């Protein structure tokens, strides 16, 4: 990844669509250009994995680090026990052991995106360190006196919840005090003067900035990234199974790659700006190619490859690409590793195979690719049936152990693109 000139950093982030709200921009520009500053972004362990929304924050942190600034990634071992108020309903509180386990998993994920060595190494912290020893009296006397109820009640999530039938608990209402204290503690301990986060966190970020001004008499900065939307204005980033998780066990690298590959032409250039480190020239060239030859989907392929490599690594990306090619007869299925092959076929029509008994006709019919044995026979006779990418000319062709691919699956196809998968009993 190419380093970003410090003086061009704000312009670069603005062009990429990574800045939504900020405090005094002139002051922030000066702070970024006068020398390395220390900044932080927080990640609460409210699930066992980060998702694509967190990826925007990690990419913002990486841009800032490449420009020479010092990143601190905060995992909210304390705030994760409380829960940031949602717009709709109260969060279900998790037990301490679960939150601690999720915090460890998030830390491992975050470490892949930042450089923890070199001239401006990243640092990992957990806010449980300074929040756990905080007594109720300390919370009320040392922190609570700096917050005004009117300001706290006016925050969007709080205001909406107060108008709802469920209301809001004091537990979630107090979250904004704890997050503000994080900024204060990091300012005192590490000299942090910039907090970044998603735009839904604007009120909490400003709360920390105001707390530092009241307690320390110093001005610091906050900056948010926008909610990523599609060209039609709808929220970006949902699959059929839910969130786009960064954990390969929760959302396979194959599914991850396919998600980005399926981006619409109208959205792909903006997503290249936000989610990749491709240069302006590279992105503009892909934009031109998309307009002139949309069928090649060059921009989508560049996006899928770049983001999958960023999240899962180059080796895993090559495996996914090999699986995508092999599924439709342009590669050797036996060279695809079993885990990737299983992930690649998870959404295909499927059936079971009894080795030595099930034949190609049964596979076509039982999977629903054909309506009956007669239709299946006609498909075989016309040369339209394939087993593991090899044309089947014998309608009685029985499936044997030699046909089983890595991952314990057998792939069959009707025509060029109608795929099915069989698993052994």
């Amino acid at each position: 990844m190419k380093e970003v000139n410090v003086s061009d950093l704000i312009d670069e982030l603005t062009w990429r669509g990574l800045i939504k709200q900020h405090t005094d921009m002139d002051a922030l520009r000066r702070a970024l250009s006068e020398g390395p500053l220390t900044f932080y972004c927080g990640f609460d362990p409210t699930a066992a994995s980060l998702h694509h929304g967190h990826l925007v924050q990690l990419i913002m942190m990486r841009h800032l680090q490449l420009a020479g600034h010092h990143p601190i990634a905060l995992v909210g071992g304390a705030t994760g026990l409380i829960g940031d108020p949602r717009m709709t309903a109260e969060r279900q509180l998790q037990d301490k052991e679960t939150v601690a386990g999720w915090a460890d998993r998030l830390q491992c994920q975050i470490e892949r995106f930042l450089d923890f060595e070199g001239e401006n190494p990243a640092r990992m912290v957990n806010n449980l360190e300074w929040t756990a020893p905080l007594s109720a009296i300390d919370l009320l006397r040392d922190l609570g006196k700096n917050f005004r109820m009117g300001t706290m009640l006016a925050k969007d999530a709080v205001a909406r919840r107060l108008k709802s039938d469920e209301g809001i608990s004091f537990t979630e209402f107090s979250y904004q005090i704890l997050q503000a204290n994080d900024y204060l503690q990091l300012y005192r301990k590490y000299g942090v003067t910039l907090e970044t986060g998603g735009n839904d966190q604007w009120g909490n970020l400003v709360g920390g900035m105001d707390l530092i001004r009241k307690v320390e008499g110093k001005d610091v900065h906050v900056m948010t990234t926008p909610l990523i939307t599609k060209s039609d204005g709808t929220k970006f980033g949902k699959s059929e199974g839910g969130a786009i998780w960064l954990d390969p066990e929760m959302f396979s690298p194959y599914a991850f790659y396919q998600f980005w590959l399926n981006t619409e032409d109208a959205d792909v250039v903006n997503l290249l700006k936000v989610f990749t480190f491709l240069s302006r020239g590279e992105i503009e060239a892909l934009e031109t190619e998309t307009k002139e030859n949309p069928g090649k989907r060059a921009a989508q392929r560049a996006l899928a490859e770049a983001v999958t490599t960023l999240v899962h690594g180059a080796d895993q990306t090559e495996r996914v690409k090999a699986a995508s090619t092999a599924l439709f007869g342009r590669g050797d299925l036996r060279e695809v590793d079993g885990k990737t092959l299983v992930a690649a076929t998870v959404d295909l029509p499927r059936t079971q195979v009894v080795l030595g008994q099930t034949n190609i006709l049964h596979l076509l019919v039982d999977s629903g690719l054909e309506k009956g044995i007669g239709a299946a026979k006609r498909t075989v006779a016309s040369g339209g049936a394939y087993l593991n990418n090899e044309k089947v000319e014998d309608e009685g062709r029985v499936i044997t152990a030699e046909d089983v691919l890595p991952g314990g699956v057998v792939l069959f196809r009707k025509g060029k693109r109608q795929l099915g998968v069989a698993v052994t009993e």
Side-chain angles (χ1 to χ4, degrees), residues 80-95:
L81 290 166
I82 302 300
D84 188 14
R86 295 186 295 188
M87 296 292 185
T88 53
E90 195 86 3
R91 291 182 183 273
Q92 179 179 350
L93 296 181
Q94 303 293 331
D95 60 66

Side-chain angles (χ1 to χ4, degrees), residues 182-244:
D182 289 343
Y183 200 169
L184 175 62
Q185 295 301 320
L186 293 175
Y187 170 83
R188 287 171 170 172
K189 189 168 184 178
Y190 301 111
V192 172
T193 54
L194 170 65
E195 181 180 4
T196 65
N199 199 54
D200 60 337
Q201 292 293 306
W202 174 256
N204 290 333
L205 271 62
V206 170
M209 181 188 73
D210 290 341
L211 178 61
I212 291 172
R213 183 184 295 122
K214 290 176 181 178
V215 174
E216 300 291 341
K218 299 293 183 180
D219 290 326
V220 293
H221 311 280
V222 300
M223 182 168 65
T224 65
T225 58
L227 174 69
I228 307 302
T229 57
K230 296 188 287 188
S231 57
D232 61 6
T234 59
K235 185 177 180 181
F236 167 77
K238 287 288 185 182
S239 69
E240 292 183 3
I244 312 304

Side-chain angles (χ1 to χ4, degrees), residues 377-397:
K377 287 183 177 181
R378 288 191 292 273
T379 295
V380 174
S382 65
Y386 295 82
L387 183 67
N388 294 337
N389 287 337
E390 295 182 2
K391 185 178 291 187
V392 178
E393 297 178 345
D394 177 8
E395 65 181 38
R397 171 69 157 84

Side-chain angles (χ1 to χ4, degrees), residues 232-277:
D232 61 6
T234 59
K235 185 177 180 181
F236 167 77
K238 287 288 185 182
S239 69
E240 292 183 3
I244 312 304
W245 301 109
L246 305 191
D247 188 320
E249 300 300 324
M250 296 173 65
F251 198 77
S252 75
Y254 182 87
F256 190 84
Y257 180 90
Q258 293 296 324
F259 170 79
W260 300 97
L261 187 63
N262 290 329
T263 299
E264 297 291 338
D265 288 350
D267 300 317
V268 68
V269 172
N270 287 335
L271 297 183
L272 282 166
K273 292 177 180 179
V274 171
F275 287 100
T276 80
F277 290 85

